[in-house]
Amino acid sequence: METSKLKKFAQHARRSLIEQVSNKLKLVLAQDSAARRENPKAVAEIEKRIFGVSGKYTDNCTLTTDDSRRQAQLVERVAYIWFNRFCALRFMDVNRYTRIGVVSPAEGQFQPEILAEAKMGHIDEGMVDESARQRIFTLLDGKTPSQDPQAEAYRLLVVAICNYWHGSMPFMFERIADYTELLMPDDLLSGKSILAYTREAMTPDVCEDVEVIGWLYQFYISEKKNEVFEGLKKNKKITPENIPAATQLFTPHWIVRYLVENSLGRLWMLNRSDSRLVEQMDYYIKPPIDDKSGPESDFLRISSPEEIKICDPACGSGHMLTYAFDLLYAIYEEEGYEAAEIPSMILKNNLFGVEIDERAGELAAFALTMKARAKQRRFFRKQVLPNICVLENIQFGEGELKEYMNFIGRDLFTAPLQTTLRQFEEADNFGSLIRPDITDVEETVRVLESRDVSGKLFLKATHDKVLQALRQADYLSPKYHVVIANPPYMGGKGMNGRLKVFLQEYYLNYKSDLFSAFVVRCSELGTERSDIGIMSPNVWMYIASHERLRTFLTEDCALYSLVELPLTGFKGATVQICAYNFSNKRSPNLKGGYIRLVDFKGADEEMSDLTKKAIADSNCGWFYRASVKDFWKIPGRPIAYWVSSELREAFQHFPRFSEY
């Protein structure tokens, strides 16, 4: 996918929307504004978010530093909400998932199709309620005074459509009846409006694949990412709210395929050796057949596709999960499942994502929904929501849990349960690295959901927080057969104080970089013999601070595939990258396949081609077959830092990889 045009659009859209929302905010908060007369509750909500519970805006008020920060956060949030919605609506328009073009004109027209139809007296009763329909018609008929009746009518149509899609996709289209609507950009119809630029960038060609949404998000936050990195140069640590911008990195599609095909694909092929799934997996490295012991026999047993649970604990906008959807669909088809039921079954049973960034989590859920809709045209009617968990901070006030436990019954609240309820106080900082103490999450949730607290107002709020904490803990329980991730990369220099202390306490041997701790955590999230796929910097193979991770991957676990790229191999990263798969069960004699591309030049397309060539031709010169215990004997591994100092002398005579 050509992304330069998308990048230019997303960066322009962010700046433009922030400016428009900021200007709209000033108008809304003015003392004599129409918004104060017509929507006093929404204005009060804005003031509360900026000034706190008791604050109120006046024309001559001076914002404190905290007020300014909260105002900037509010503007940023609203700007992105509308960017998200406009892009989602455009994607659905292009793919004809909407009944009528909401942000797109009909062929040969200039105005959005839904507005053109409304001007002719046609508004879908199923999508726009009667009250809104009447307001729109009176505006367009000139019966309601307005400076720009078409613009006002169109705004009402957009709000109505967003509310309509709330039923199918509440994660993307929150019901609009508050300040979000008040702060909607005014210019939506001109040739220089945000929608005009959206249509220009999101052409039918780029909307053929839902990954366009992920690219747009990465580009949307790219300028904020640059700001965070500039702050690092001045020794400013990365705060929890800036972790997503600092660590968000869209995974190239070929690497996604490599990781998923050598984890999910491998798991299925080991269980169904005669499966034709292999025919569509260009990056799958087939396990070699040992002349003495025959095919690989020590693997996780799966009896049906419904059993398979796949997790991406740092899912971003869902790129790993959407390709896993494609492979799973082929698996279900091969097993003879009814085509109309497969998309729902995949979303219900198989795919799970965890994320700390609310925006990215929304996009992951949207991407999976679009995948399902592409396969089943009536999917929206099924009301099936993807299993995407955006981790929230959950805090309990002093004495709050004590009163709740007394009401529910103290016997249920074991020490591990009480600890778990406190573990999500900084979920936005620690994310999936949190290890819940409780092990019987599902049973505890079932018991608590059966308790009636509806008549206890204050206990109800505590009850909801307890259930939310437990549901988050359930996502972070070790139950997955496949775990795949492009985890966040962050060295100690960028970590905020609390994150550094957390790693020191819980990931002592892997504290030098966030990705290192995530590798271990991904392994823990899997059941025994599960398959893990990771994309990360390649430094763990070379430097002393990652010696324990090297031991973990090649001795405690079984690193059975790896492709190592040159610095140019992934233009989105500023470090050298590698992608690798391992089993979380020790298997030193397991035969693996390893690809070394560090002496080649090129970007995604060249690396993809070289990888496929290596997999197809093991004699190509940059593909190595070796048992896991002999991974470090592969030519080109550095002499300076081996798995342990005792092995250095043994390995120092191996030739360095230089002739390729």
Side-chain angles (χ1 to χ4, degrees), residues 235-284:
N235 204 31
K236 292 182 179 179
K237 304 304 180 184
I238 300 174
T239 56
E241 63 266 23
N242 286 331
I243 289 177
T247 59
Q248 188 74 229
L249 193 63
F250 197 75
T251 315
H253 187 65
W254 79 268
I255 293 181
V256 170
R257 289 191 59 185
Y258 178 91
L259 294 175
V260 176
E261 289 172 11
N262 287 292
S263 53
L264 169 60
R266 181 179 189 272
L267 174 65
W268 188 251
M269 291 306 302
L270 288 172
N271 280 274
R272 298 285 195 279
S273 58
D274 59 345
S275 171
R276 298 187 64 178
L277 185 69
V278 68
E279 296 174 7
Q280 66 186 69
M281 297 195 298
D282 296 336
Y283 300 90
Y284 174 54

Side-chain angles (χ1 to χ4, degrees), residues 200-424:
E200 184 180 342
M202 295 182 68
T203 62
D205 287 344
V206 301
C207 288
E208 289 179 357
D209 195 318
V210 76
E211 77 172 61
V212 64
I213 301 294
W215 280 114
L216 285 171
Y217 179 56
Q218 176 165 309
F219 295 142
Y220 186 90
I221 63 173
S222 61
E223 292 181 332
K224 186 172 183 179
K225 182 174 186 173
N226 293 338
E227 293 172 8
V228 175
F229 283 178
E230 283 299 314
L232 283 177
K233 296 177 182 178
K234 301 174 183 177
N235 204 31
K236 292 182 179 179
K237 304 304 180 184
I238 300 174
T239 56
E241 63 266 23
N242 286 331
I243 289 177
T247 59
Q248 188 74 229
L249 193 63
F250 197 75
T251 315
H253 187 65
W254 79 268
I255 293 181
V256 170
R257 289 191 59 185
Y258 178 91
L259 294 175
V260 176
E261 289 172 11
N262 287 292
S263 53
L264 169 60
R266 181 179 189 272
L267 174 65
W268 188 251
M269 291 306 302
L270 288 172
N271 280 274
R272 298 285 195 279
S273 58
D274 59 345
S275 171
R276 298 187 64 178
L277 185 69
V278 68
E279 296 174 7
Q280 66 186 69
M281 297 195 298
D282 296 336
Y283 300 90
Y284 174 54
I285 300 175
K286 298 178 183 178
I289 296 178
D290 192 295
D291 293 337
K292 296 180 180 179
S293 58
E296 186 178 330
S297 58
D298 187 15
F299 56 85
L300 188 61
R301 305 291 171 169
I302 297 295
S303 60
S304 75
E306 294 171 70
E307 293 178 30
I308 303 172
K309 294 187 183 300
I310 303 165
C311 180
D312 184 343
C315 70
S317 54
H319 200 181
M320 300 279 194
L321 296 175
T322 55
Y323 184 63
F325 179 99
D326 292 338
L327 279 195
L328 284 165
Y329 193 91
I331 289 170
Y332 274 96
E333 269 193 321
E334 188 174 75
E335 291 289 288
Y337 285 77
E338 182 68 34
E341 300 303 320
I342 294 175
S344 297
M345 297 180 78
I346 293 174
L347 265 55
K348 287 179 182 177
N349 301 324
N350 303 122
L351 299 177
F352 299 82
V354 184
E355 180 55 52
I356 61 172
D357 182 358
E358 180 184 13
R359 301 166 177 176
E362 292 169 356
L363 294 179
F366 179 74
L368 288 174
T369 301
M370 293 301 102
K371 278 286 186 180
R373 170 58 182 81
K375 292 292 188 181
Q376 219 288 312
R377 62 184 302 271
R378 297 182 180 274
F379 177 78
F380 290 143
R381 300 183 183 182
K382 294 180 178 292
Q383 304 290 299
V384 175
L385 301 181
N387 294 308
I388 302 296
C389 176
V390 177
L391 297 177
E392 300 176 9
N393 291 349
I394 300 174
Q395 299 178 337
F396 297 94
E398 186 176 351
E400 183 179 355
L401 277 175
K402 181 179 180 181
E403 185 179 352
Y404 177 73
M405 289 189 292
N406 288 336
F407 178 80
I408 296 295
R410 281 188 166 272
D411 291 346
L412 179 66
F413 289 84
T414 61
L417 173 55
Q418 292 187 50
T419 301
T420 297
L421 295 178
R422 298 286 190 184
Q423 285 181 289
F424 293 97

Side-chain angles (χ1 to χ4, degrees), residues 159-174:
V159 169
I161 296 303
C162 288
N163 286 338
Y164 168 80
W165 285 116
H166 172 80
S168 301
M169 293 175 278
F171 46 83
M172 179 67 76
F173 297 99
E174 296 177 29

Side-chain angles (χ1 to χ4, degrees), residues 109-245:
Q109 300 296 316
F110 298 98
Q111 288 189 324
E113 186 179 7
I114 196 171
L115 176 60
E117 288 291 307
K119 288 163 66 176
M120 292 187 289
H122 307 306
I123 299 179
D124 192 325
E125 295 180 10
M127 303 183 77
V128 182
D129 64 42
E130 184 59 28
S131 174
R133 280 163 49 85
Q134 291 305 315
R135 290 175 63 194
I136 292 165
F137 283 138
T138 57
L139 279 165
L140 295 175
D141 292 341
K143 296 176 181 178
T144 299
S146 172
Q147 292 183 341
D148 192 341
Q150 289 193 42
E152 195 169 338
Y154 181 61
R155 287 164 56 84
L156 292 172
L157 285 166
V158 171
V159 169
I161 296 303
C162 288
N163 286 338
Y164 168 80
W165 285 116
H166 172 80
S168 301
M169 293 175 278
F171 46 83
M172 179 67 76
F173 297 99
E174 296 177 29
R175 183 164 289 279
I176 304 174
D178 58 7
Y179 68 88
T180 309
E181 180 180 354
L182 282 183
L183 300 180
M184 180 194 281
D186 281 326
D187 180 17
L188 299 178
L189 295 176
S190 79
K192 294 184 178 181
S193 69
I194 185 65
L195 291 187
Y197 289 118
T198 302
R199 293 190 291 267
E200 184 180 342
M202 295 182 68
T203 62
D205 287 344
V206 301
C207 288
E208 289 179 357
D209 195 318
V210 76
E211 77 172 61
V212 64
I213 301 294
W215 280 114
L216 285 171
Y217 179 56
Q218 176 165 309
F219 295 142
Y220 186 90
I221 63 173
S222 61
E223 292 181 332
K224 186 172 183 179
K225 182 174 186 173
N226 293 338
E227 293 172 8
V228 175
F229 283 178
E230 283 299 314
L232 283 177
K233 296 177 182 178
K234 301 174 183 177
N235 204 31
K236 292 182 179 179
K237 304 304 180 184
I238 300 174
T239 56
E241 63 266 23
N242 286 331
I243 289 177

